[in-house]
Amino acid sequence: MKIKKILLLGLLTIAIGLSGCASARGEKVVDTNSKVPVETIAVDVKTITQQYDTVGKLHAYEEVIVSGNANGIVKTINFNVGDKVKEGDILYTLENKDLLNNIDMQKNSLQKTVEDSRIMYEDALGNYNSIKSLYEANAVSKEDLENAQVALDRASLNYQQAKKTLESNTVSFNSSIEDTIIRSPIAGVVSSRNIEIGERTSGASFIISKLDPMLVKTNVSEDFVNTISVGNQVKVTVQQQQYIGKVKTINPVGVNNSNMYPVEIVIENDGSFLKHGMFAEIAFELETLDNQIVVPKKTILSEGSRSYVYIVENQQPKKVAVEKGLTKDGEVQIVKGLKAGDMLIVMGHEYIDEQTEIKVVNQN
């Protein structure tokens, strides 16, 4: 195309030069080489999509601030900023030697209580069985049997209560130990770490960001917000890479009560190329129009507020006023002025008018 353009300009220069020389001699130019070379295409119909273009920024799909339930001295740290983590991975641990010693002492005491209450229960059970045999032999009174039953019931209750106390405290002990082991609540990337080994924890220690998928946050004008819906596909371009996303949320309340409405779009980030804070170009497809006259934008010339093109009619250029519609990807919808089949001049049109002699050097 670049070579064609050079040839056309060269031919045009020669034609103008010959014309100038002939005019200087007062001669009439009749050589066909003096005709201005042009290229044409046949106007055709195609589908064009109306879209709303805006910009936005990338954000993590989810961010979780991690802080331990217990304060303490940091013992180990397993991840740095930028590292990927899985849900449940141990981020860091706290010193827990004193805690473990204290728990061991309490567990030993509770286990001893259980064992003592078990022995008392077995003794009470044996005594009850003996009294019952004697009662059946009329060797002891009914009151003696009832007293043995009361003692057995009391020993049984104490034994069951001791076991429950041990079980509930074991759960509490394990929870206290787990509080010194801080895990990641989600899969993602470490985006912040505010602790070092040997320091005492206070406040947020880690921030975990989920970066796949990611969110694109933007604001949409009131003129278009009601033409998009949750689930709509959206074209998102980041650093010249194009992605297809889906509308996740549309906020019905404008930013600071303005006429711009926050919209969130979800896009995949399989290769981790996308980063929080990156700039994004967003194209919402609003309406698809079929059978539309569409021409290259470069073929349209302007004269004040009017737009026009040149077509070839009876081997002569004809200036045609046009009414423009949508513009997309270097093409313009023509609402009025052209019809399918018109031979549109696409190259050389800048150098002609309706009186210019032209030569079509290619015709598609």
Side-chain angles (χ1 to χ4, degrees):
M1 182 59 73
K2 190 172 183 180
I3 293 172
K4 286 183 180 180
K5 199 160 188 179
I6 292 171
L7 287 173
L8 285 170
L9 289 172
L11 288 171
L12 180 61
T13 302
I14 292 169
I16 293 172
L18 289 172
S19 175
C21 292
S23 298
R25 296 192 300 269
E27 299 174 2
K28 182 177 180 181
V29 179
V30 293
D31 191 343
T32 56
N33 288 332
S34 66
K35 294 182 178 181
V36 176
V38 297
E39 288 188 8
T40 64
I41 61 170
V43 174
D44 199 1
V45 296
K46 64 187 299 185
T47 298
I48 188 169
T49 302
Q50 181 184 9
Q51 68 182 38
Y52 171 71
D53 297 322
T54 186
V55 295
K57 278 195 173 182
L58 300 186
H59 294 260
Y61 187 83
E62 182 181 4
E63 282 191 339
V64 178
I65 298 174
V66 180
S67 56
N69 292 325
N71 291 326
I73 304 299
V74 178
K75 181 180 180 181
T76 62
I77 299 175
N78 299 323
F79 295 95
N80 293 315
V81 171
D83 289 344
K84 292 183 178 181
V85 297
K86 300 187 295 293
E87 182 179 350
D89 279 350
I90 297 175
L91 300 176
Y92 65 98
T93 63
L94 301 177
E95 293 286 356
N96 59 5
K97 183 178 179 180
D98 291 343
L99 173 67
L100 293 176
N101 290 337
N102 185 41
I103 288 175
D104 284 342
M105 291 176 59
Q106 293 185 61
K107 285 182 73 173
N108 290 336
S109 176
L110 291 171
Q111 288 169 345
K112 184 177 184 307
T113 299
V114 170
E115 180 63 18
D116 291 345
S117 61
R118 182 188 66 78
I119 293 173
M120 294 179 66
Y121 166 73
E122 291 177 352
D123 289 346
L125 178 61
N127 182 62
Y128 171 78
N129 289 332
S130 297
I131 296 296
K132 183 179 179 183
S133 296
L134 293 172
Y135 175 74
E136 291 173 348
N138 294 320
V140 295
S141 67
K142 184 177 181 179
E143 183 179 359
D144 292 334
L145 179 62
E146 290 174 346
N147 290 335
Q149 180 69 60
V150 170
L152 176 61
D153 291 344
R154 184 182 299 111
S156 176
L157 180 62
N158 290 339
Y159 181 37
Q160 296 301 322
Q161 186 62 46
K163 289 195 293 183
K164 287 182 179 179
T165 300
L166 176 60
E167 290 174 2
S168 63
N169 277 275
T170 298
V171 172
S172 178
F173 295 151
N174 291 338
S175 177
S176 296
I177 295 171
E178 186 64 26
D179 284 345
T180 67
I181 304 171
I182 292 77
R183 303 175 186 272
S184 177
I186 62 171
V189 177
V190 177
S191 55
S192 176
R193 196 191 88 184
N194 301 314
I195 56 170
E196 297 294 340
I197 292 175
E199 292 181 349
R200 178 171 291 278
T201 59
S202 61
S205 51
F206 272 76
I207 297 179
I208 308 300
S209 299
K210 185 175 182 178
L211 301 179
D212 183 21
M214 293 198 75
L215 285 180
V216 185
K217 295 185 178 182
T218 186
N219 296 318
V220 174
S221 164
E222 65 177 1
D223 297 328
F224 297 97
V225 69
N226 288 325
T227 64
I228 62 176
S229 302
V230 171
N232 283 171
Q233 287 194 340
V234 182
K235 291 181 181 178
V236 179
T237 303
V238 181
Q239 295 190 351
Q240 300 180 338
Q241 297 290 322
Q242 192 173 94
Y243 302 83
I244 301 298
K246 285 188 176 181
V247 176
K248 180 177 183 283
T249 63
I250 302 172
N251 195 324
V253 179
V255 180
N256 297 325
N257 294 319
S258 71
N259 62 346
M260 300 297 291
Y261 295 85
V263 173
E264 292 182 335
I265 302 160
V266 180
I267 57 174
E268 299 299 323
N269 187 26
D270 294 336
S272 300
F273 170 78
L274 302 176
K275 303 291 187 293
H276 180 101
M278 281 185 171
F279 178 81
E281 299 175 23
I282 305 159
F284 294 92
E285 294 191 351
L286 305 179
E287 183 181 8
T288 299
L289 304 172
D290 296 322
N291 301 317
Q292 301 297 306
I293 299 293
V294 178
V295 302
K297 184 178 179 181
K298 67 178 183 178
T299 64
I300 302 175
L301 303 173
S302 61
E303 196 172 68
S305 61
R306 298 177 58 204
S307 298
Y308 64 95
V309 297
Y310 280 105
I311 64 172
V312 176
E313 192 173 276
N314 298 324
Q315 299 183 345
Q316 282 296 116
K318 180 180 179 181
K319 184 177 181 181
V320 178
V322 294
E323 183 179 331
K324 296 186 295 184
L326 304 177
T327 299
K328 183 181 179 183
D329 300 331
E331 295 185 318
V332 179
Q333 173 198 18
I334 301 301
V335 178
K336 185 178 179 181
L338 292 177
K339 63 182 183 299
D342 284 341
M343 298 308 297
L344 177 69
I345 298 177
V346 296
M347 189 169 289
H349 55 296
E350 305 99 326
Y351 312 112
I352 63 175
D353 57 30
E354 290 186 306
Q355 281 72 47
T356 304
E357 293 288 330
I358 62 171
K359 178 182 178 181
V360 178
V361 295
N362 86 305
Q363 185 168 321
N364 298 323

